[in-house]
Amino acid sequence: MDTKAMYKLTYGLFVLTTESGGKVNGCITNTAIQVANDPTRIGLAVNKANYTEELIRASCKFNISVIGTDADFALFKRFGFQSGRDVDKFADFEDYTIKENAVPVITRGTNAWMTCSVTESFDLGSHTFFVGTIDDMGVLADTESCSYSYYQSNIKPKPEKVGETKSGKVIWRCTVCGYVYDPYAGDPDNGIEPGTKFEDLPDDFVCPVCGVDKESFSKAD
């Protein structure tokens, strides 16, 4: 089975934000879709490993900011390449406004926003699928919406050569988001001990940044 067939699906890109108990967080997602129009409802799947998923389950609310083609990589790096459990993604960040549901929407590099209340949720195994009724929405700019392929071709930096680890083991890079797995360091936050060879990673290992499986990794030059 060629899992790369999944890359042929067409996706938009969004900043998904939420708030619970005073904690605000957000992440990059490509799963938001309209699922009904009376009332207007949005469905999205969120990886259970994401802190944003935990906060949405607790608060039953989320906002979606539609990313435009004028977005820069800094937006993706802030909301997609670090965990809200470790950092405050909104620290030293000013390009957002807070809506009536106390959840921010991103105002730079985006072209529209929606505020939603969760009406249903479904356990999909690795992900939770949330269905939200749109409470409010607006347009920010006339720029085209950013597709996943546009991000790959025009926004995401081209990979740089990284060589080998201190121990001489080969480094493996996620071909989707650029995350580097270093066998010398392992991935202790996800239960992978330092010194674990890539070949010895469990079959269900996924990229801790974007969630793709081992088949999407390649040896770094």
Side-chain angles (χ1 to χ4, degrees), residues 87-128:
V87 299
D88 178 359
K89 295 185 182 182
F90 286 89
D92 302 319
F93 183 70
E94 299 179 351
D95 298 319
Y96 70 94
T97 60
I98 301 293
K99 294 302 178 181
E100 291 185 4
N101 61 358
V103 179
V105 297
I106 310 305
T107 56
R108 183 178 179 182
T110 58
N111 59 24
W113 57 269
M114 304 163 193
T115 66
C116 304
S117 300
V118 174
T119 55
E120 295 180 86
S121 63
F122 303 89
D123 188 336
L124 302 182
S126 61
H127 289 60
T128 299

Side-chain angles (χ1 to χ4, degrees), residues 2 13 30 57 77 79 88 96 100 104 117 128 160 210:
D2 187 355
L13 288 169
N30 62 357
R57 279 193 290 107
K77 186 175 180 181
F79 290 102
D88 178 359
Y96 70 94
E100 291 185 4
S117 300
T128 299
E160 298 179 358
C210 68

Side-chain angles (χ1 to χ4, degrees), residues 26-47:
C27 66
I28 302 292
T29 183
N30 62 357
T31 63
I33 57 172
Q34 181 179 348
V35 294
N37 61 5
D38 188 16
T40 306
R41 287 182 173 173
I42 293 290
L44 60 98
V46 190
N47 195 309

Side-chain angles (χ1 to χ4, degrees), residues 134-186:
I134 295 181
D135 300 314
D136 196 7
M137 55 184 165
V139 173
L140 295 170
D142 292 329
T143 55
E144 293 291 326
S145 296
C146 180
S147 68
Y148 186 73
S149 60
Y150 185 91
Y151 163 76
Q152 290 287 338
S153 300
N154 299 281
I155 299 177
K156 176 184 173 183
K158 298 298 183 279
E160 298 179 358
K161 293 185 177 181
V162 294
E164 294 184 340
T165 65
K166 295 178 181 179
S167 62
K169 294 184 175 68
V170 175
I171 290 174
W172 292 76
R173 186 191 301 276
C174 174
T175 59
V176 175
C177 72
Y179 166 80
V180 170
Y181 175 73
D182 179 350
Y184 182 81

Side-chain angles (χ1 to χ4, degrees), residues 64-81:
I64 293 171
S65 302
V66 183
I67 298 176
T69 52
D70 60 341
D72 57 25
F73 185 66
L75 180 68
F76 293 89
K77 186 175 180 181
R78 176 177 291 272
F79 290 102
F81 287 76

Side-chain angles (χ1 to χ4, degrees), residues 169 181-198 200-202 205:
K169 294 184 175 68
Y181 175 73
D182 179 350
Y184 182 81
D187 187 7
D189 290 342
N190 292 291
I192 307 298
E193 295 295 327
T196 303
K197 297 179 180 179
F198 184 82
D200 294 334
L201 293 174
F205 173 82

